[in-house]
Amino acid sequence: MRLKKKTTEDQDRIPMNYETVIGLEIHVQLKTQSKLFCGCSTRSAYERDVPPNRHICPICTGHPGVLPRPINRKAVELAVRLASAVQSSIHPESDFDRKNYFYADLPKGYQITQHGKPLAEGGFIDFILDGIDQRIDLNHMHLEEDPGKSKIEGGVWLVDMNRCGVPLVEIVTQPDLRSASEAAAFVTEFRRIVRYLGVSEGNMEMGNLRCDANVSIRPSSSDPLGVKTEIKNLNSIRFLEDAVNWEIKRQIRVLNAGGEINQITIAWDDQVKEGQLSREKESEADYRYFREPNLIPVAISEAFIADASIDLPELPARRLRRYIREHEISPSDAVTLIDERSVADYFESVLMIYSGATKRAADWVRNHVLRALNDPENAFNQINELPVTAEYLAELLDLMDAGVISDALGPQIFQKIIETGRSPKQIIEQEGLRPPEEDDLIQIIDQVLADDPETVRRYREGNDKVLNRLIGQVMKQTRGRADAQTVRSLLIERADAL
Ligand code: ADP
Ligand code: ZN
Ligand code: MG
């Protein structure tokens, strides 16, 4: 089944008669401790304050005469896990090639990559855009080493080789995407998937996930594909969306003026929100690919695939669908719940214990749990550091539902759990938060009525609105412990009986 939405918002603004075609190449840094062909640390990919050229050795900096070490097994395992999750067919044997090019950040003068026989072929990624199911097919995925980084500062070329040799998997899609917003939704989903699988941190700002967007336009969907351009190295989803929209408009202008599209490479400048048409694209021949003579093929057995695919989680898009269908959670609330796997797992643990409504649990996770996690005051890195465990949250909700404490006290107790780590029951006992006994409550109510004869008179004359003032006074006297509904009915009873 294949459902495609052709008119997304950004396409509506594009003059009629052109269809946009986009294919993405996504580079993902695999979450290993060490690099692909040497023992150097990959720390610089995750920590901001690593000094330049700290984690390097003769192998990753390409000194003459050195040989790559046998491939990092963990990197292969993570790439296979990803391939398996998106149903790519994994080749029993794949090869490494040298891709030759000359750039300051590539001290070896070539990059070790898989060109002829990549790790896996095919597969697909499902996601939901504006409520509609989408499926984007993958062309292939391959392993390669990351190059370093270079920049010009004060007129001087600076090179940082910490990143040289960090393991990457590159995923190449079919030209199946039809708008910038579709491409953005695809990358959002892909990022979720790699994080769900534990294959990559997927932090785009840190460069753990970067994409190149290939863009072309054609008069209509029945025409052959147009000439494409390639926008390089987009490290944020917003840049991707802006850059693709900019490029579509540029191509339309060129074609409408009777020109033709050249196959060029574009660098996106986010400062000025413009692409820089940087160079004519290299052709395959320019790279002079040949087999890497110092590495044997990667052999992947069925047993290795089975090991790498152990405990594959339900993928986020399926989870999203399930939450919307089974739990009747609104699509936007459901997205918030599934975005991080640990949050969705937490939510489901709450549901297993809590006996009340799913909607109530969902609202609490969104409003209180996520807020507490995102509050810089708290400094929790992940949900499992939150003292309000799924058990405690379920207990708190059950206690509110049973009327043991008033709903109004819920957030306060939630905060107390964070501060003390104690259970809701302990906090209620120790802080004396149980609602007052009915006799005590009646006493308080009678006192409030006696203290405010003016309001009572207005109520008795038929002004129901003033009742809220009396309820407020009773709640204040009980320090929020009483159940507002109980207070209301008792107040009416006592006031009517006066
Ligand atoms: P190249 O040989 O230039 O690297 P590939 O055929 O390997 O091109 O494709 C690279 C990426 O570009 C893939 O994601 C593919 O889907 C996409 N692509 C190919 N042709 C087009 C096109 N005409 N318009 C948009 N994207 C395209
Ligand atoms: Zn090294
Ligand atoms: Mg290619």
Side-chain angles (χ1 to χ4, degrees):
M1 185 188 63
R2 196 179 174 97
L3 294 164
K4 273 253 153 74
K5 194 172 176 227
K6 300 288 181 196
T7 48
T8 48
E9 217 182 78
D10 54 29
Q11 264 201 325
D12 288 343
R13 277 184 262 116
I14 287 161
M16 15 167 256
N17 294 338
Y18 284 111
E19 187 192 47
T20 301
V21 174
I22 304 163
L24 297 174
E25 294 163 277
I26 309 182
H27 290 94
V28 189
Q29 287 181 329
L30 297 166
K31 205 179 159 193
T32 56
Q33 301 279 326
S34 58
K35 295 187 183 179
L36 195 54
F37 300 115
C38 67
C40 293
S41 168
T42 57
R43 186 167 296 146
S44 68
Y46 310 103
E47 292 171 19
R48 285 180 193 279
D49 47 6
V50 178
N53 301 310
R54 170 63 58 94
H55 300 289
I56 60 175
C57 74
I59 296 174
C60 55
T61 56
H63 287 212
V66 298
L67 294 172
R69 284 205 204 165
I71 190 162
N72 184 331
R73 193 185 159 89
K74 180 75 182 175
V76 182
E77 194 184 299
L78 293 176
V80 166
R81 183 171 171 79
L82 175 60
S84 171
V86 299
Q87 310 201 33
S88 286
S89 40
I90 299 161
H91 293 155
E93 207 174 276
S94 58
D95 286 334
F96 284 101
D97 301 282
R98 289 188 182 184
K99 179 182 184 179
N100 299 279
Y101 66 93
F102 299 97
Y103 200 68
D105 63 13
L106 191 73
K108 289 214 291 264
Y110 62 87
Q111 180 188 26
I112 302 181
T113 182
Q114 297 188 303
H115 184 66
K117 256 191 182 178
L119 182 80
E121 260 173 285
F124 54 84
I125 284 173
D126 289 335
F127 61 102
I128 300 166
L129 178 60
D130 301 334
I132 297 170
D133 287 317
Q134 310 268 345
R135 171 166 293 181
I136 298 299
D137 288 325
L138 304 179
N139 179 291
H140 76 273
M141 72 177 74
H142 64 257
L143 282 159
E144 63 187 25
E145 54 179 357
D146 216 342
K149 287 185 196 168
S150 63
K151 60 177 175 185
I152 301 173
E153 218 172 78
V156 186
W157 271 99
L158 297 173
V159 181
D160 176 4
M161 294 185 279
N162 280 336
R163 202 175 70 180
C164 289
V166 168
L168 291 181
V169 67
E170 179 177 337
I171 287 84
V172 181
T173 75
Q174 297 291 23
D176 277 359
L177 295 150
R178 292 292 174 267
S179 71
S181 56
E182 216 173 280
F186 174 86
V187 176
T188 304
E189 187 63 23
F190 183 73
R191 179 179 173 275
R192 267 187 207 126
I193 290 173
V194 296
R195 289 175 58 82
Y196 261 60
L197 296 172
V199 156
S200 173
E201 280 289 309
N203 183 337
M204 294 189 76
E205 227 178 289
M206 287 297 285
N208 301 155
L209 198 155
R210 292 129 37 201
C211 63
D212 303 338
N214 297 270
V215 181
S216 67
I217 56 173
R218 57 180 167 179
S220 80
S221 55
S222 52
D223 291 312
L225 292 181
V227 174
K228 70 175 160 72
T229 60
E230 184 173 0
I231 314 166
K232 287 293 218 184
N233 248 320
L234 297 158
N235 69 340
S236 108
I237 288 167
R238 192 173 53 79
F239 296 173
L240 166 70
E241 210 168 343
D242 289 351
V244 168
N245 277 326
W246 179 88
E247 175 56 9
I248 295 168
K249 291 200 187 93
R250 188 192 69 86
Q251 291 190 10
I252 289 169
R253 271 200 310 276
V254 171
L255 291 189
N256 283 349
E260 55 183 46
I261 307 298
N262 296 319
Q263 207 184 336
I264 53 167
T265 307
I266 297 169
W268 179 246
D269 182 342
D270 185 60
Q271 298 296 312
V272 291
K273 307 248 176 286
E274 269 177 23
Q276 290 169 354
L277 314 183
S278 53
R279 51 184 153 113
E280 297 290 317
K281 186 179 162 54
E282 286 87 354
S283 71
E284 173 122 354
D286 292 324
Y287 289 125
R288 292 164 298 112
Y289 285 103
F290 61 90
R291 276 284 302 280
E292 164 60 59
N294 300 317
L295 287 165
I296 55 167
V298 190
I300 294 166
S301 65
E302 289 297 326
F304 186 91
I305 297 174
D307 274 353
S309 320
I310 213 151
D311 292 335
L312 278 186
E314 177 184 37
L315 293 187
R318 281 191 80 132
R319 213 167 200 182
L320 180 61
R321 263 276 164 258
R322 187 161 62 78
Y323 284 13
I324 295 169
R325 279 209 190 109
E326 283 174 19
H327 297 322
E328 292 174 14
I329 300 174
S330 78
S332 66
D333 289 357
V335 168
T336 315
L337 292 170
I338 61 100
D339 193 40
E340 287 289 341
R341 180 182 170 189
S342 57
V343 172
D345 287 347
Y346 176 100
F347 169 61
E348 290 185 22
S349 301
V350 174
L351 289 188
M352 299 229 286
I353 314 165
Y354 174 48
S355 36
T358 304
K359 167 99 172 76
R360 182 153 159 91
D363 288 346
W364 267 78
V365 171
R366 287 188 311 107
N367 296 330
H368 298 280
V369 173
L370 287 179
R371 192 176 302 158
L373 275 181
N374 296 329
D375 184 351
E377 288 262 304
N378 289 330
F380 301 128
N381 293 313
Q382 340 162 10
I383 202 161
N384 61 16
E385 291 173 15
L386 186 74
V388 189
T389 58
E391 288 75 14
Y392 283 180
L393 181 59
E395 185 181 310
L396 178 60
L397 296 180
D398 277 329
L399 287 167
M400 284 192 283
D401 291 355
V404 176
I405 50 161
S406 71
D407 271 15
L409 281 181
Q412 208 175 310
I413 295 174
F414 186 90
Q415 186 54 34
K416 272 267 172 341
I417 305 173
I418 293 181
E419 287 162 15
T420 64
R422 282 181 282 151
S423 77
K425 281 197 184 109
Q426 284 173 322
I427 291 169
I428 291 163
E429 286 310 321
Q430 290 170 354
E431 310 269 327
L433 294 174
R434 278 184 179 282
E437 296 296 325
E438 188 165 304
D439 285 350
D440 297 334
L441 191 55
I442 287 172
Q443 226 173 19
I444 293 169
I445 287 171
D446 287 347
Q447 191 61 52
V448 165
L449 293 177
D451 288 348
D452 195 354
E454 176 58 19
T455 306
V456 173
R457 185 182 58 76
R458 285 168 64 195
Y459 167 70
R460 288 172 64 90
E461 278 168 11
N463 187 344
D464 279 349
K465 272 187 237 148
V466 299
L467 200 60
N468 284 336
R469 182 185 308 171
L470 297 170
I471 294 172
Q473 281 166 15
V474 176
M475 292 305 281
K476 204 168 148 195
Q477 298 282 324
T478 63
R479 288 181 295 125
R481 287 175 303 143
D483 174 57
Q485 217 38 56
T486 313
V487 170
R488 187 184 183 83
S489 48
L490 277 175
L491 243 175
I492 292 172
E493 210 180 292
R494 303 300 288 180
D496 288 351
L498 278 177

